[in-house]
Amino acid sequence: MEMNTKRFLVRPGDTVSLADHDPAETGGLTKKEAKEALTQLRLELNELQELLYASEEHALLIVLQGMDTSGKDGVIKHVITAFNPQGCQVTGFKVPTSEELAHDFLWRVHRAVPRRGMVGIFNRSHYEDVVVVRVEGLAAEKVWRKRYGMINDFERLLAGNNVVIRKFFLHISKEEQRDRLQDRLKNKRDHWKFRVGDLKARARWDDYMAAYEEALSRCSLEEAPWYIIPADKKWYRNLVISQILAETLRSLDMKWPALEPGAEGIQII
Amino acid sequence: MEMNTKRFLVRPGDTVSLADHDPAETGGLTKKEAKEALTQLRLELNELQELLYASEEHALLIVLQGMDTSGKDGVIKHVITAFNPQGCQVTGFKVPTSEELAHDFLWRVHRAVPRRGMVGIFNRSHYEDVVVVRVEGLAAEKVWRKRYGMINDFERLLAGNNVVIRKFFLHISKEEQRDRLQDRLKNKRDHWKFRVGDLKARARWDDYMAAYEEALSRCSLEEAPWYIIPADKKWYRNLVISQILAETLRSLDMKWPALEPGAEGIQII
């Protein structure tokens, strides 16, 4: 039961209007069907990731972006856990340190790129440098506007060196965010996730959507595509991302490495 | 059904003789019982690790050492997967790079120490600098002999700064290693794990045991203890380590952080 994931893809050259994408979409699936499919995909992802690790020819870089509560952490918890932690590194990009600020905006990002054999997950990324930086006015327009091209060049560099890039925009509705934030306030166990400052971004929702639309439109490359993931239903979000990752890894045509020359027929004593 | 894990502990001051530790021990448990207990412990470990992550007061550093095939990767696959990959970082220490060799032997290790809130797993560690380095004669005795004290000082520094350290020596028999190496040669899927060079270490088994005995004897601290884990049975190895980790995390008396001041009673609009 495989869905067609092409419709979540932002084709290079497309102009994205997020209003045309339903965040509550479920592709006609029930939660139960999606969970069963996810269980299967997780097994396959585990297998494929071991092969990626063993063959050491490609790295996989997964970029997760989205508003607060859109499910970046949830994807890590429910999808990325399919992978062996030894072959995985999650990097969260927070407010840059003073050392990071003393470099170009891609410096800290480049350092976090996974090496061949590894899966790297960016929980937020260099896209904050054309989203939050733009909306909150943290840099002049002439500064952030140049960055789309720089990002594309950077991602082409990576892709041209065996880093397979998949970027996921977790698309939730403003109403869904309200409910999720309210839940964080209600549940003692989730209090640590709530930051009063997050409400500032919520208050500028439309500006954020506009900033994302431009980033998605300008920076979806053949070799480093963006996907817009319906994320109001967590189970559908997890399924769609898992399937795209499985398709991506399958397409690499990886092989288990052969026995080291000279090891044939050895009897261990 | 909790076992007493104290008997795996190397008490500070103990002189370890590995011959006194049965690598095939199973504590009278069946595989089925152990697997059921592991399933429960994994759920608890997941919960405790989220609390560690949320409360950001302690880091947990897990050191895995042992001969080839002793199960360092297996522990990561079957125990560490209980943790959320976002709160976990696995570092494998391989042959040092030329940059690493240009520093003291703990430099690269210190950089890999997990920050507060995180679990760090060392797949091999600075203990190679008193084990492989000693056995293979990679440094003079007067160089590696000084290192026991340096390691103890270093680990006390970490422990004194909220890094909780647990060190596991995965103890397998030479016969079990033979079978596991032979399996790697047999199964195409595992060919990539076989290195002819590993046989060199096997040939010097007794020297390695002597080097481990000295490291375990000299470097088990109250605040950074070594455990000798019977590792011939993978399911028992996994259970014992899981239980020690659960006991460790429980003992930290962590609390879910309170709501940020000013957030009480907010209605999200």
Side-chain angles (χ1 to χ4, degrees):
Chain A
M1 192 210 54
E2 301 253 313
M3 71 184 90
N4 183 356
T5 59
K6 283 278 183 289
R7 63 206 165 93
F8 307 114
L9 175 68
V10 179
R11 283 167 215 279
D14 276 3
T15 300
V16 170
S17 166
L18 286 169
D20 299 340
H21 295 258
D22 178 8
E25 198 215 296
T26 59
L29 291 176
T30 64
K31 184 170 178 176
K32 182 157 174 291
E33 289 167 332
K35 290 214 159 184
E36 283 167 10
L38 180 63
T39 302
Q40 282 309 308
L41 279 168
R42 282 176 55 93
L43 295 173
E44 188 187 356
L45 284 172
N46 184 272
E47 190 76 359
L48 286 163
Q49 182 251 333
E50 189 173 356
L51 181 49
L52 181 89
Y53 185 81
S55 54
E56 274 191 308
E57 279 188 38
H58 304 273
L60 174 62
L61 173 58
I62 299 167
V63 173
L64 300 174
Q65 285 282 164
M67 300 295 282
D68 289 315
T69 78
S70 63
K72 301 179 290 295
D73 296 338
V75 169
I76 293 169
K77 184 163 186 170
H78 298 283
V79 179
I80 301 304
T81 43
F83 297 140
N84 185 320
Q86 186 151 226
C88 244
Q89 63 196 48
V90 180
T91 308
F93 290 96
K94 313 216 162 165
V95 175
T97 65
S98 53
E99 189 190 17
E100 288 167 352
L101 281 173
H103 292 87
D104 72 86
F105 76 106
L106 292 171
W107 179 78
R108 64 174 183 161
V109 179
H110 210 157
R111 287 160 61 103
V113 169
R115 67 165 195 270
R116 283 186 291 278
M118 296 287 288
V119 181
I121 299 95
F122 286 179
N123 184 345
R124 303 187 185 274
S125 67
H126 44 300
Y127 284 95
E128 294 294 337
D129 295 292
V130 289
V131 174
V132 65
V133 164
R134 165 181 171 161
V135 176
E136 306 295 341
L138 305 177
E141 176 162 358
K142 71 171 196 287
V143 171
W144 58 255
R145 194 156 282 288
K146 283 192 303 189
R147 291 180 174 170
Y148 300 114
M150 291 166 170
I151 289 174
N152 288 339
D153 290 344
F154 172 65
E155 293 185 2
R156 278 196 200 96
L157 163 75
L158 300 182
N161 287 276
N162 289 14
V163 181
V164 179
I165 306 172
R166 294 295 181 269
K167 301 176 292 194
F168 301 104
F169 173 68
L170 308 182
H171 184 36
I172 54 165
S173 63
K174 201 173 172 186
E175 296 67 40
E176 181 66 22
Q177 192 198 48
R178 179 195 58 217
D179 295 347
R180 294 185 185 181
L181 286 172
Q182 202 71 63
D183 280 348
R184 288 182 178 180
L185 282 164
K186 202 165 61 191
N187 306 329
K188 269 194 163 14
R189 177 89 159 55
D190 292 328
H191 279 173
W192 65 282
K193 297 181 189 168
F194 188 87
R195 297 270 176 280
V196 178
D198 295 347
L199 298 178
K200 244 177 56 186
R202 178 169 171 79
R204 307 203 56 180
W205 186 272
D206 294 342
D207 296 334
Y208 273 96
M209 292 306 112
Y212 269 118
E213 283 172 342
E214 188 157 3
L216 295 167
S217 302
R218 288 186 180 272
C219 298
S220 198
L221 306 177
E222 202 74 62
E223 56 271 66
W226 271 110
Y227 290 86
I228 299 170
I229 307 295
D232 274 6
K233 300 292 177 199
K234 297 171 181 178
W235 47 270
Y236 191 62
R237 168 201 80 196
N238 294 339
L239 179 64
V240 173
I241 292 179
S242 299
Q243 196 177 313
I244 294 167
L245 293 177
E247 287 167 2
T248 301
L249 290 168
R250 282 175 207 150
S251 74
L252 297 181
D253 190 30
M254 300 177 285
K255 294 207 180 11
W256 291 101
L259 200 56
E260 199 183 336
E264 301 85 358
I266 286 184
Q267 274 298 320
I268 312 291
I269 45 167
Chain B
M1 192 209 51
E2 300 253 314
M3 69 184 91
N4 183 356
T5 58
K6 284 279 183 288
R7 65 207 166 94
F8 307 115
L9 175 69
V10 179
R11 281 169 216 278
D14 276 3
T15 300
V16 171
S17 165
L18 285 170
D20 299 340
H21 295 259
D22 178 8
E25 196 214 299
T26 59
L29 291 177
T30 64
K31 184 169 177 177
K32 185 160 173 288
E33 288 167 333
K35 289 215 161 186
E36 284 168 8
L38 180 63
T39 302
Q40 281 309 308
L41 277 169
R42 281 175 55 92
L43 294 174
E44 188 187 355
L45 284 172
N46 184 270
E47 191 77 359
L48 285 163
Q49 182 251 332
E50 188 173 356
L51 181 51
L52 182 88
Y53 185 82
S55 54
E56 273 189 308
E57 280 188 36
H58 305 273
L60 173 62
L61 174 57
I62 299 167
V63 173
L64 299 174
Q65 283 286 161
M67 300 295 282
D68 288 316
T69 77
S70 63
K72 302 180 289 298
D73 296 338
V75 169
I76 293 169
K77 185 164 183 167
H78 297 283
V79 179
I80 302 304
T81 43
F83 298 140
N84 185 321
Q86 187 152 225
C88 244
Q89 64 197 44
V90 180
T91 307
F93 290 96
K94 314 214 164 169
V95 176
T97 65
S98 53
E99 189 189 17
E100 288 167 354
L101 282 173
H103 292 87
D104 72 85
F105 76 105
L106 292 171
W107 178 78
R108 65 173 183 162
V109 179
H110 210 156
R111 287 160 59 101
V113 169
R115 67 163 196 272
R116 283 186 291 279
M118 296 288 287
V119 180
I121 299 94
F122 286 178
N123 185 344
R124 303 186 184 274
S125 67
H126 44 300
Y127 285 94
E128 295 294 338
D129 295 293
V130 289
V131 174
V132 66
V133 164
R134 163 180 173 162
V135 176
E136 305 295 340
L138 303 178
E141 176 162 359
K142 70 170 199 283
V143 170
W144 57 255
R145 194 156 282 289
K146 283 192 303 187
R147 289 182 176 169
Y148 300 114
M150 292 167 170
I151 288 174
N152 287 339
D153 290 343
F154 171 64
E155 293 185 2
R156 277 194 201 98
L157 163 75
L158 299 183
N161 287 276
N162 289 15
V163 181
V164 179
I165 306 173
R166 292 295 180 269
K167 301 177 292 196
F168 300 104
F169 173 68
L170 308 183
H171 184 36
I172 55 166
S173 63
K174 201 173 172 189
E175 297 65 41
E176 180 67 20
Q177 192 197 48
R178 179 194 59 216
D179 295 347
R180 292 186 187 182
L181 286 172
Q182 203 70 63
D183 280 348
R184 288 184 180 180
L185 282 163
K186 202 166 62 191
N187 306 329
K188 269 192 163 15
R189 178 87 160 53
D190 292 328
H191 279 174
W192 65 282
K193 296 180 189 166
F194 188 87
R195 296 270 177 279
V196 177
D198 295 346
L199 299 178
K200 244 177 55 187
R202 177 170 173 79
R204 307 203 58 179
W205 187 273
D206 294 342
D207 297 334
Y208 274 96
M209 291 307 110
Y212 269 119
E213 283 172 342
E214 187 158 4
L216 295 168
S217 302
R218 288 187 180 271
C219 299
S220 198
L221 307 176
E222 202 74 62
E223 55 272 66
W226 271 110
Y227 290 85
I228 298 171
I229 307 295
D232 274 6
K233 300 293 178 201
K234 297 171 181 178
W235 47 269
Y236 191 61
R237 169 201 80 197
N238 294 337
L239 179 63
V240 174
I241 292 180
S242 298
Q243 196 178 311
I244 294 167
L245 293 177
E247 287 167 1
T248 302
L249 289 168
R250 283 176 206 148
S251 74
L252 297 181
D253 190 32
M254 301 177 284
K255 294 208 178 14
W256 291 101
L259 200 57
E260 196 184 337
E264 302 86 358
I266 285 182
Q267 273 298 320
I268 312 290
I269 45 166

